[in-house]
Amino acid sequence: MLISVSVRCGKGKKDRIVPFPHSFKEMLAMHADSMKKKQAVYLFESSWKKKYTDRGIRKILAKYSEVAGMTQNLSPHKLRHFLLTWLKKGIDDALIQPYSGHESRKSLEVYSKLAITDAQEEYNEVINRFPI
């Protein structure tokens, strides 16, 4: 069973479906329950009870990039490119397209040209130190 989250008006004012592992379902349910008890407006909101901004997300990713010992900060855009490039290694474009937000499968060709091996090596080096 596929679990996904709908993102409304993401980059480019596009709606997207974001998949995540089935094992994440319980953790997300616990978080949603916690936020409901706090009477939160958003599923993910700041300590000021506001939705996260693009800048706020970038700061969070920069913090975790530093904790992970990465030499470059991870941006939402880089994270998206990494995921789509990785998915292209084993999944047909027709199945990736709904998650990518691209209007056509032809737009996904850019991810075929990106070298995943360098990114994968750096990922393998730091993932074991990830704080979760």
Side-chain angles (χ1 to χ4, degrees):
M1 178 174 145
L2 176 67
I3 299 174
S4 60
V5 174
S6 295
V7 176
R8 305 275 183 229
C9 291
K11 184 179 178 186
K13 303 269 189 224
K14 292 183 180 180
D15 294 345
R16 287 187 173 78
I17 300 167
V18 181
F20 56 87
H22 188 268
S23 59
F24 189 61
K25 182 179 179 181
E26 186 177 333
M27 191 181 304
L28 183 61
M30 289 170 35
H31 176 75
D33 187 53
S34 170
M35 296 306 283
K36 186 176 180 181
K37 287 177 183 171
K38 293 179 184 177
Q39 298 179 341
V41 175
Y42 303 99
L43 180 59
F44 300 102
E45 66 181 24
S46 71
S47 55
W48 297 284
K49 297 207 174 276
K50 304 269 186 196
K51 65 181 180 179
Y52 282 106
T53 62
D54 179 58
R55 184 170 178 238
I57 296 296
R58 287 178 182 279
K59 286 176 80 173
I60 290 167
L61 287 173
K63 175 184 154 189
Y64 281 105
S65 295
E66 185 179 331
V67 169
M70 296 175 71
T71 55
Q72 291 183 329
N73 281 346
L74 190 60
S75 68
H77 192 71
K78 285 180 187 174
L79 192 58
R80 180 173 177 267
H81 274 283
F82 178 77
L83 173 64
L84 292 173
T85 302
W86 184 76
L87 288 173
K88 287 275 296 180
K89 287 186 76 166
I91 300 176
D92 185 78
D93 288 353
L95 299 173
I96 297 172
Q97 186 188 350
Y99 300 113
S100 73
H102 288 104
E103 305 238 347
S104 74
R105 282 188 243 159
K106 185 148 179 67
S107 302
L108 292 171
E109 287 178 7
V110 67
Y111 301 106
S112 299
K113 296 174 182 130
L114 298 173
I116 191 65
T117 53
D118 295 333
Q120 187 66 47
E121 287 172 352
E122 186 169 336
Y123 174 84
N124 288 341
E125 287 179 21
V126 297
I127 194 64
N128 290 331
R129 297 190 309 261
F130 195 71
I132 295 180

